[in-house]
Amino acid sequence: MIKVSIIGSGNVAQHLISAFTAIQKSSSKIELVEAYSRKKESLIHLLDNSQIITDIQDLSEADVYIIAVSDDAIATISEQLAFKNKLVVHTSGSVSVDVISDANRKGVFYPLQSFTKNKAVDFSTIPICLEAENATDFQLINTVAKLISSKVFAINSQQRQALHVAAVFVNNFTNHMYQIGKKICDENQIPFAILHPLITETAQKIATLSPQQAQTGPAIRNDSKTIAAHEAFLTDDNELTIYKILTQSIQNNGKEL
Amino acid sequence: MIKVSIIGSGNVAQHLISAFTAIQKSSSKIELVEAYSRKKESLIHLLDNSQIITDIQDLSEADVYIIAVSDDAIATISEQLAFKNKLVVHTSGSVSVDVISDANRKGVFYPLQSFTKNKAVDFSTIPICLEAENATDFQLINTVAKLISSKVFAINSQQRQALHVAAVFVNNFTNHMYQIGKKICDENQIPFAILHPLITETAQKIATLSPQQAQTGPAIRNDSKTIAAHEAFLTDDNELTIYKILTQSIQNNGKEL
């Protein structure tokens, strides 16, 4: 039985609490001991009152403490922990394992997903990226991760940094492409839903084709007539700049890219 | 019984032939008369030898002729048609209905999807955008479209131009974001598949949240520390330029956008 405690009450903390609560109903391998939140109200819909700790000094014994707070708060929170030489991991994609206080053993338990409040996620398909300072600690968090997800990876801090940048491109920037697409639709009285199947298909293609194989459109075809028509259509300077730079980047693929 | 003929043998033509061939097995409302291709070999895997016409002058009587050729060839092909005052439509997202020769009645039958060779598509979920010069012609192509798709829209030439630009953003540019993400993964010995669930989730969110509501990441959080770390990480000038411009565009949302 591995005892886990969660430190934090935000999006990631809440999704982890839900996942662990669900899994301990069917598995005796894990116990969610408690969670720390400054305010009980943040977690009372997920846990019994007795499982919510509001003074970080009151945290009970556990095998692993998962700090799921904002990047900037990880160092401070880890320094407030009253115990020593326990396994403490954070859940951030962009922060080194080293920011955790030296008083404890360090690790990372990073679920690579974009969590949105009030939108349920199926944790079993979310990749979890693990890092630990020694093999025993790695095995422990590996066991925990595999209980809630079928996709568990060993990713060191440098790789995690790269992965986080890559995630910004495929998630944050892609969503911004959707936003520009929606704006163009709105301005022309076109329901944005008309583009949903294309958006889904574009994402699904990646499962069977490399992005390079999947690339279509005027840029890769060097269709200068269509590109000129699109550039003439775009009256927003920002959209035009993005159109030109991404068209050029697609066309320069293999050189500048 | 509506008689349809296809002019062309490329991706869109082949997907339309497959869709009409499939539907006429269960519906007596439609008949795929024949298809025109310069070379029989291009279509022989889809149609009987007798249904493939290699001289455009030999096209038989039909109720609607669907020109599915490259944008630049539509005008020329439509001028080669031997008949007059029949309904002729093209399938292009970026070309006006007017490019079709004045000798016939004009329309557009634009399936809004990115067709990749050798990748089957489910036509029933593909939006089809229709345009015609009069109500009778519109009703005819509306009946045809509804036989193969449940998502049929009336979209005029100006809206279609806007839709095509929007599609470049949500499809071509999004795929390019995937390509940059994959390159960053490759360079750091990270399997790109680790990002697939995030890519899928990002696309699926759009069905329930607006892109504005769904936006996450360092840009929208104004997390300057993470943004600076990402910019320091990116050594490729092109990737860095794209990162900066899209970060700024996300942050300026509502102003420049």
Side-chain angles (χ1 to χ4, degrees):
Chain A
M1 167 83 78
I2 301 173
K3 292 182 174 182
V4 178
S5 284
I6 308 276
I7 296 164
S9 60
N11 264 340
V12 177
Q14 293 196 21
H15 279 106
L16 282 173
I17 290 169
S18 299
F20 288 129
T21 307
I23 208 70
Q24 71 183 2
K25 285 178 188 155
S26 60
S27 168
S28 58
K29 290 186 183 162
I30 198 161
E31 184 197 343
L32 179 62
V33 182
E34 58 200 10
Y36 161 75
S37 168
R38 269 178 299 184
K39 294 177 183 171
K40 288 231 178 201
E41 305 91 77
S42 316
L43 299 178
I44 201 68
H45 58 297
L46 295 171
L47 291 170
D48 287 343
N49 189 49
S50 63
Q51 282 184 293
I52 308 169
I53 307 299
T54 55
D55 182 342
I56 200 164
Q57 307 290 323
D58 291 341
L59 277 169
S60 315
E61 179 85 13
D63 297 305
V64 55
Y65 298 85
I66 301 178
I67 300 182
V69 300
S70 64
D71 291 355
D72 288 343
I74 296 171
T76 315
I77 286 277
S78 77
E79 279 160 18
Q80 291 170 2
L81 297 173
F83 44 79
K84 286 202 161 55
N85 201 32
K86 305 291 288 180
L87 179 56
V88 176
V89 300
H90 73 61
T91 59
S92 169
S94 55
V95 168
S96 167
V97 67
D98 298 327
V99 304
I100 296 169
S101 156
D102 290 330
N104 286 289
R105 283 143 41 217
K106 308 171 189 184
V108 177
F109 189 99
Y110 166 46
L112 199 168
Q113 187 54 280
S114 172
F115 296 101
T116 309
K117 247 178 203 148
N118 304 324
K119 183 164 188 317
V121 294
D122 175 10
F123 232 110
S124 65
T125 62
I126 295 179
I128 301 182
C129 304
L130 302 180
E131 181 176 5
E133 292 177 306
N134 64 63
T136 314
D137 286 345
F138 186 87
Q139 270 315 317
L140 184 80
I141 55 177
N142 192 36
T143 303
V144 173
K146 284 187 168 167
L147 283 170
I148 57 173
S149 169
S150 60
K151 299 180 178 186
V152 179
F153 297 85
I155 296 285
N156 65 35
S157 283
Q158 197 191 319
Q159 287 176 312
R160 194 154 32 77
Q161 165 83 337
L163 196 54
H164 196 247
V165 177
V168 167
F169 278 91
V170 304
N171 171 19
N172 306 152
F173 290 169
T174 285
N175 186 73
H176 191 56
M177 296 301 113
Y178 300 162
Q179 187 171 352
I180 293 174
K182 181 174 189 300
K183 179 166 169 283
I184 294 170
C185 284
D186 289 350
E187 288 166 351
N188 290 276
Q189 295 78 49
I190 302 163
F192 181 54
I194 203 173
L195 288 171
H196 286 178
L198 183 64
I199 286 172
T200 306
E201 170 77 5
T202 305
Q204 284 175 348
K205 269 188 188 171
I206 299 307
T208 50
L209 296 172
S210 74
Q212 198 153 6
Q213 293 170 312
Q215 189 68 54
T216 56
I220 196 74
R221 284 199 312 270
N222 285 306
D223 178 350
S224 52
K225 209 167 146 186
T226 300
I227 292 168
H230 287 182
E231 289 178 357
F233 173 88
L234 290 166
T235 51
D236 179 303
D237 280 349
N238 181 51
E239 289 167 12
L240 183 59
T241 302
I242 292 170
Y243 187 95
K244 285 181 176 175
I245 282 173
L246 294 183
T247 293
Q248 193 174 38
S249 182
I250 290 171
Q251 294 182 331
N252 287 341
N253 170 37
K255 278 192 290 178
E256 283 180 35
L257 262 188
Chain B
M1 166 85 77
I2 301 172
K3 292 182 175 184
V4 178
S5 285
I6 309 275
I7 296 164
S9 60
N11 265 340
V12 176
Q14 293 197 20
H15 279 106
L16 283 173
I17 290 170
S18 299
F20 288 130
T21 306
I23 209 70
Q24 71 183 3
K25 285 178 188 157
S26 60
S27 168
S28 59
K29 290 187 183 161
I30 198 160
E31 183 197 343
L32 179 61
V33 181
E34 57 200 9
Y36 160 74
S37 168
R38 269 177 299 182
K39 295 177 183 172
K40 286 230 178 201
E41 306 91 77
S42 316
L43 299 178
I44 200 69
H45 59 296
L46 294 171
L47 290 170
D48 288 342
N49 189 50
S50 63
Q51 282 184 293
I52 308 170
I53 307 298
T54 55
D55 182 343
I56 200 163
Q57 307 289 324
D58 292 342
L59 277 169
S60 317
E61 178 86 14
D63 297 304
V64 55
Y65 298 85
I66 302 179
I67 300 182
V69 300
S70 64
D71 291 356
D72 288 343
I74 296 171
T76 315
I77 285 276
S78 78
E79 279 160 19
Q80 292 168 1
L81 298 172
F83 44 78
K84 286 203 159 56
N85 202 30
K86 305 291 289 181
L87 179 57
V88 176
V89 301
H90 73 62
T91 58
S92 168
S94 55
V95 167
S96 166
V97 67
D98 298 326
V99 303
I100 295 169
S101 156
D102 289 332
N104 286 290
R105 280 141 46 215
K106 309 172 190 185
V108 176
F109 190 97
Y110 167 45
L112 200 167
Q113 187 55 280
S114 171
F115 296 101
T116 310
K117 248 178 201 147
N118 304 322
K119 187 167 187 314
V121 295
D122 175 9
F123 232 111
S124 65
T125 63
I126 294 180
I128 300 181
C129 304
L130 303 179
E131 181 176 3
E133 292 177 307
N134 64 63
T136 313
D137 287 344
F138 187 88
Q139 270 315 315
L140 184 79
I141 54 177
N142 192 36
T143 304
V144 173
K146 284 188 168 166
L147 283 170
I148 58 173
S149 169
S150 60
K151 298 180 177 185
V152 180
F153 298 84
I155 295 286
N156 65 35
S157 282
Q158 196 190 320
Q159 287 176 313
R160 196 156 30 80
Q161 165 83 337
L163 197 54
H164 195 247
V165 177
V168 166
F169 278 90
V170 305
N171 171 19
N172 305 152
F173 290 169
T174 285
N175 186 73
H176 191 57
M177 297 298 114
Y178 301 162
Q179 187 171 353
I180 294 174
K182 181 174 188 301
K183 178 165 170 281
I184 295 170
C185 284
D186 289 349
E187 288 167 349
N188 291 276
Q189 293 80 49
I190 302 164
F192 181 53
I194 203 171
L195 288 171
H196 285 178
L198 183 63
I199 286 172
T200 307
E201 170 77 8
T202 305
Q204 285 175 348
K205 268 187 188 172
I206 300 307
T208 50
L209 295 173
S210 74
Q212 198 153 7
Q213 292 170 313
Q215 189 67 55
T216 56
I220 197 73
R221 284 200 313 269
N222 285 306
D223 178 351
S224 51
K225 209 167 147 186
T226 299
I227 292 167
H230 287 182
E231 290 179 356
F233 174 88
L234 289 167
T235 52
D236 179 304
D237 279 350
N238 181 52
E239 290 167 13
L240 184 59
T241 302
I242 292 171
Y243 187 96
K244 284 181 176 174
I245 282 173
L246 294 183
T247 293
Q248 193 175 37
S249 182
I250 291 171
Q251 294 182 331
N252 286 342
N253 169 38
K255 277 193 289 178
E256 283 181 34
L257 264 188

